[in-house]
Amino acid sequence: MVREDFAKLPRHVAIIMDGNGRWAKKHKLNVAMGHRQGVETLREVIRHTDDLKIEALTIYAFSTENWNRSKEEVAALMQLILDFFKSEIDELDEKNVRILILGEKDVFPQKQREVLIEAERRTADNTGLTLNICLNYGGRAELVRAAKQITEDVQAGRLSLDSINEQTISDRLYTAGQPDVDLMIRTSGEMRLSNFLLYQCAYAEFLFPRVLWPDFTVQDYDEALLAYGGRERRFGKRLS
Ligand code: FPP
């Protein structure tokens, strides 16, 4: 479907790409192959999001908890991160996509860190889709980071206690300046937020398609976007 087919589209979509492991098991493959197939889905989803002229897409690629997976699985994900940026960066930059990494990059191996920093640097002035890639990301850690920045600003006299409001926090999140999440999609039927975008999802609509991430198609995505368009968002108000 194209943009004109939708009566209403979200400005910001967030996705938890869940089910790669189960997909691999179902196909009697190792988990790395599940993640590899998941990257194929991701490519299509980014392309479609850009075609639809949605402002922001945030994807959960690697959580702070994912370091606890087996050495082999973490290594496979690290390799996929390198492969993804090397193969996609030219096309994304050409399409005017701005890439932001949400999460602390310091803990990544040097090669990955360099690729991530370079992707952000190269696309920093792009004005099309904002693609937020959550890597070593945790929603609570993001809020702790914001709290520390606010405290520093207060201590340094740059900010007064009385002026602190919701915007003060939003401005210190990785997503500063972007709209709140309108639609959160988690594939594979799991219905949890798993420490993802806790502050930004305050008024998000949630959809939990049962399909495993590697099987998630552009048609499934369109269906989710249509379902979003059919939801009545009240933001706490009574609409009569
Ligand atoms: C959840 O599936 C998925 C992940 C933990 C990683 C998702 C990562 C990618 C799709 C590729 C890496 C991203 C980039 C940007 C290169 P799971 O393994 O928890 O699935 P399961 O619950 O079925 O085991």
Side-chain angles (χ1 to χ4, degrees), residues 17-22 35 38-39 42 61 66 69 80-81 84:
M17 310 180 286
D18 201 4
N20 295 345
R22 276 161 285 169
H35 292 312
V39 174
L42 175 60
N66 285 153
R69 296 198 173 187
L80 278 177
I81 290 169
F84 174 82

Side-chain angles (χ1 to χ4, degrees), residues 106-124:
D106 302 356
V107 292
F108 283 95
Q110 189 180 347
K111 263 204 257 176
Q112 278 74 8
R113 217 168 46 229
E114 282 172 8
V115 157
L116 301 176
I117 291 168
E118 173 58 14
E120 282 188 314
R121 191 204 58 76
R122 185 168 158 188
T123 63

Side-chain angles (χ1 to χ4, degrees), residues 16-24 31 34-40 42 59-63 66 69 73 77 79-85 133 135 186 188 190 192 212-213:
I16 301 180
M17 310 180 286
D18 201 4
N20 295 345
R22 276 161 285 169
W23 184 91
V31 64
H35 292 312
R36 188 162 287 278
Q37 200 57 40
V39 174
E40 294 306 317
L42 175 60
I59 50 143
Y60 211 171
F62 196 91
S63 73
N66 285 153
R69 296 198 173 187
E73 186 172 353
L77 284 165
Q79 187 59 47
L80 278 177
I81 290 169
L82 275 189
D83 295 349
F84 174 82
F85 283 96
I133 304 182
L135 288 166
R186 181 174 190 152
S188 87
E190 303 292 343
R192 288 188 293 277
L212 304 174
W213 178 250

